[in-house]
Amino acid sequence: MTKIGIIIGSTRPGRLGPKVAGWVHDVAAQRADAVFELVDLADFRLPLFDQAVAPAMGGTGGPEAQAWVRTIDTFDGFVFVTPEYNQQLPGAIKNAIDFVYGGWANKAAGIVSYGVAGGSGAAAQLRQMCGLLGLADVPTQVSLHLTSDFEGFTVFAPSESRTRLLGELLDCVVAWSAALEPVRSARAASIA
């Protein structure tokens, strides 16, 4: 069965990511077409990327990076849950993405972003990265605004329309992940 990782893209104290990702997981858990798993970057304690040999060239990093790479390898697709810091992608998710190379290829990704402007700047940067890594980013996106989707900027209260949009995003991520399975299998066979 298709396996989708829901990645919490922030590690800072007081972050809203676990609340948003929990909502994504709760909605996804009602589906029978894939298995969904929360992946919290904070659990991996990745150092700043400082590898002498890039992952694209065979670099593997230390034990934290190796655990992260092994985790990413187990998924067929992803939903990135990302905040926006100063209209940019958080350093934690950019750093984590840099530790992996082949594990992103030929998989699908959806984006759930949040922030004052709905996380649009972070989502745009993440889409650019997806393209460069061979991740097929689905066109549907959920943008959550701190002023309308959070009460007092902290209590997450998504509307019914946001939940419907999330369902559409999950439909795409699951379908695209399944459609790319033959490509992943052919790639794995050529490497073996």
Side-chain angles (χ1 to χ4, degrees):
M1 181 171 280
T2 302
K3 187 176 176 186
I4 308 296
I6 301 167
I7 299 176
I8 303 171
S10 172
T11 59
R12 77 183 206 186
R15 63 201 167 130
L16 298 171
K19 294 176 186 178
V20 177
W23 168 68
V24 172
H25 188 264
D26 289 347
V27 171
Q30 298 172 27
R31 304 172 65 97
D33 56 355
V35 174
F36 296 86
E37 183 178 317
L38 286 170
V39 181
D40 191 343
L41 287 183
D43 293 341
F44 290 89
R45 305 241 179 249
L46 291 168
L48 284 176
F49 184 80
D50 63 352
Q51 304 302 304
V53 178
M57 306 298 244
T60 59
E64 299 92 350
Q66 291 175 20
W68 170 245
V69 170
R70 283 191 305 272
T71 297
I72 295 306
D73 285 346
T74 67
F75 294 105
D76 302 306
F78 306 95
V79 175
F80 290 101
V81 176
T82 183
E84 180 173 79
Y85 298 160
N86 299 317
Q87 298 183 351
Q88 303 291 314
L89 191 65
I93 188 66
K94 168 67 170 93
N95 187 58
I97 288 170
D98 285 345
F99 275 102
V100 180
Y101 185 72
W104 300 120
N106 304 313
K107 298 178 181 181
I111 300 170
V112 176
S113 61
Y114 60 95
V116 172
S120 59
Q125 289 178 320
L126 190 50
R127 282 189 189 285
Q128 182 180 21
M129 292 177 70
C130 286
L132 295 170
L133 295 167
L135 264 167
D137 57 306
V138 304
T140 304
Q141 178 179 323
V142 178
S143 297
L144 303 165
H145 296 261
L146 289 179
T147 55
S148 59
D149 296 301
F150 295 82
E151 297 170 2
F153 300 100
T154 58
V155 177
F156 184 47
S159 67
E160 188 176 314
S161 65
R162 297 284 197 237
T163 302
R164 276 195 308 275
L165 188 59
L166 175 59
E168 293 172 21
L169 179 143
L170 295 171
D171 288 343
C172 289
V173 170
V174 171
W176 288 27
S177 295
L180 286 166
E181 194 283 325
V183 179
R184 289 191 300 277
S185 293
R187 182 175 180 270
S190 71
I191 294 172

